[in-house]
């Protein structure tokens, strides 16, 4: 199977498996797992934040971040297509008692000017703004990357008004590979950042939430409350440490493969995509011109050994990662051309 459904599907490399087998472990709820401690320290260094917390998933990292920064009855400003709003089972409402104030960013990228107009003070009718959230890279907008200037303006504007900014940096290493700006510089203006080890970086499990030491200390308690105290989690952290050191340098290959997919998708009748917007490892393309619904195309592809999911009736998402090389992408393109020709 050529699996382009997500970069979450990567399998651990032999080096990761070796490190997992040999990992030194302890009880992380007591803070005694040396490998988890090393991973958290390394994540804090890489992000330039005071502390970091190892969490099982990106969803838990975002959930804890919202909880740290907000009070019940507040609003969280985010993009309309953000993961936090659309794919995390209403966790903002469920755990933090907040509602979203979504804004439609162009290609998922918000500007301070847009945000500024949506900030609400406490009033007789309004829930006040508690937090601003930005997603970098933006998943459902096609892996788009925030310009540094935009991040700085949003964070400076928010801080001036006493508001915090959380970056959902599930794929912030892809943003770094695409722009040449270090992860540390990308996340510096934001108060907290969550990034995933289990996406393009290829570790089997895990994400990190990084930020100020006091906020992360509170986050540790919320992690326990959410059932995320993982005990001898060093076996997972060991793979994460390898992912952090080894994988970032090869993310550019995934970006080349995504570009290749996008450029060749434009040659398939009925498919629309703008390759100039593909900056990282995600390609979202419109299939409405083929006369087929995305679910039908998915099914036909699957029967021929290619996995690509629809994100709605008209659009599909292909995500490149280290388990699909250039030849596999070319094969996927051929299969897609074949499946849509038969419409
Ligand atoms: N994204 C997954 C699905 O949930 C859609 C994927 O296949 O891309 N933030 C962003 C920007 C994400 O893309 C994801 C996962 C998460 C957070 C949540 O991470 P996990 O799956 O570890 O909870």
């Amino acid at each position: 199977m050529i699996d382009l459904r997500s970069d979450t599907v990567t399998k651990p490399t032999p080096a990761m498996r070796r490190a997992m087998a040999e990992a030194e472990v302890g009880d992380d709820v007591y803070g005694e797992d040396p490998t988890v401690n090393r991973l958290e320290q390394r994540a804090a260094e890489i992000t330039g934040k005071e502390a970091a917390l190892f969490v099982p998933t990106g969803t838990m990292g975002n959930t804890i971040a919202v909880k740290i920064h907000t009070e019940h009855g507040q609003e969280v400003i985010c993009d309309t297509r953000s993961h936090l709003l659309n794919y995390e089972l209403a966790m903002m409402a469920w755990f933090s008692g907040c509602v979203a104030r979504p804004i439609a960013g162009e290609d998922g990228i918000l500007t301070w000017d847009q945000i500024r107009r949506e900030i609400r003070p406490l009033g007789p009718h309004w829930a006040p703004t508690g937090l601003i959230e930005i997603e970098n890279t933006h998943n459902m907008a096609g892996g788009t990357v925030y310009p540094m200037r935009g991040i700085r303006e949003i964070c400076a504007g928010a801080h001036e008004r006493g508001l915090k900014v959380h970056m959902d940096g599930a794929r912030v290493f892809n943003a770094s590979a695409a722009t040449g700006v270090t992860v540390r510089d990308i996340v510096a203006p934001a108060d907290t950042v969550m990034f995933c080890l289990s996406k393009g970086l290829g570790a089997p499990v895990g994400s990190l939430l990084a930020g100020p030491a006091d906020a992360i200390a509170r986050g540790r308690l919320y992690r326990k409350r959410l059932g995320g105290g993982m005990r001898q989690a060093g076996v997972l952290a060991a793979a994460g440490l390898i992912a952090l050191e080894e994988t970032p340098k090869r993310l550019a290959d995934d970006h080349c493969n995504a570009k290749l997919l996008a450029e060749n998708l434009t040659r398939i009748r009925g498919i629309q995509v703008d390759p100039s917007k593909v900056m990282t490892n995600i390609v979202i393309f419109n299939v409405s011109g083929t006369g087929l619904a995305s679910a039908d195309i998915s099914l036909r592809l699957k029967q021929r050994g290619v996995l690509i999911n629809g994100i709605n009736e008209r659009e599909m998402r292909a995500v490149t990662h280290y388990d699909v090389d250039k030849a596999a992408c070319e094969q996927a393109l051929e299969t897609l051309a074949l499946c849509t020709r038969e419409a």
Side-chain angles (χ1 to χ4, degrees), residues 6 57-59 62 83 88 135 139 168 170-171 199 317:
S6 182
T57 62
T59 300
N62 282 339
H83 193 278
E88 298 186 7
E135 188 173 311
N139 184 351
D168 176 346
R171 297 185 178 83
K199 301 207 163 48
R317 181 185 75 144

Side-chain angles (χ1 to χ4, degrees), residues 79 85 127 223 297:
D79 173 68
L85 172 60
R223 182 184 69 173
I297 298 179

Side-chain angles (χ1 to χ4, degrees), residues 151-200:
I151 299 175
R152 287 195 198 105
E153 279 175 7
I154 290 169
C155 296
H159 294 156
E160 225 168 78
R161 292 172 187 233
L163 289 167
K164 301 276 199 265
V165 178
H166 171 64
M167 185 184 288
D168 176 346
R171 297 185 178 83
V172 73
F173 284 83
N174 294 87
S176 172
T179 56
V181 182
T182 61
V183 167
R184 188 189 181 95
D185 286 346
I186 293 174
V187 309
D191 297 277
T192 49
V193 59
M194 182 283 289
F195 71 83
C196 294
L197 298 165
S198 60
K199 301 207 163 48

Side-chain angles (χ1 to χ4, degrees), residues 7-21 39 54-58 196-207 233-244 247 322-323:
D7 47 9
T8 58
V9 301
T10 46
K11 308 267 174 23
T13 62
M16 288 179 198
R17 287 185 187 272
R18 268 196 307 278
M20 292 171 83
L39 175 66
F54 184 45
V55 287
T57 62
C196 294
L197 298 165
S198 60
K199 301 207 163 48
L201 295 186
V205 178
S207 297
V235 287
L236 303 175
L241 278 162
I242 305 272
L244 273 184
T247 325
Y322 70 59
D323 281 335

Side-chain angles (χ1 to χ4, degrees), residues 40-60:
E40 290 179 343
Q41 215 178 334
R42 190 73 191 108
E45 274 164 25
I46 290 172
T47 56
K49 303 293 183 199
E50 283 175 2
L53 179 69
F54 184 45
V55 287
T57 62
T59 300
M60 191 186 285

Side-chain angles (χ1 to χ4, degrees), residues 126-145:
W126 301 320
T129 305
L131 176 68
I132 293 160
E133 189 263 357
I134 55 179
E135 188 173 311
N136 192 25
T137 68
H138 195 298
N139 184 351
M140 289 299 161
T144 47
V145 180

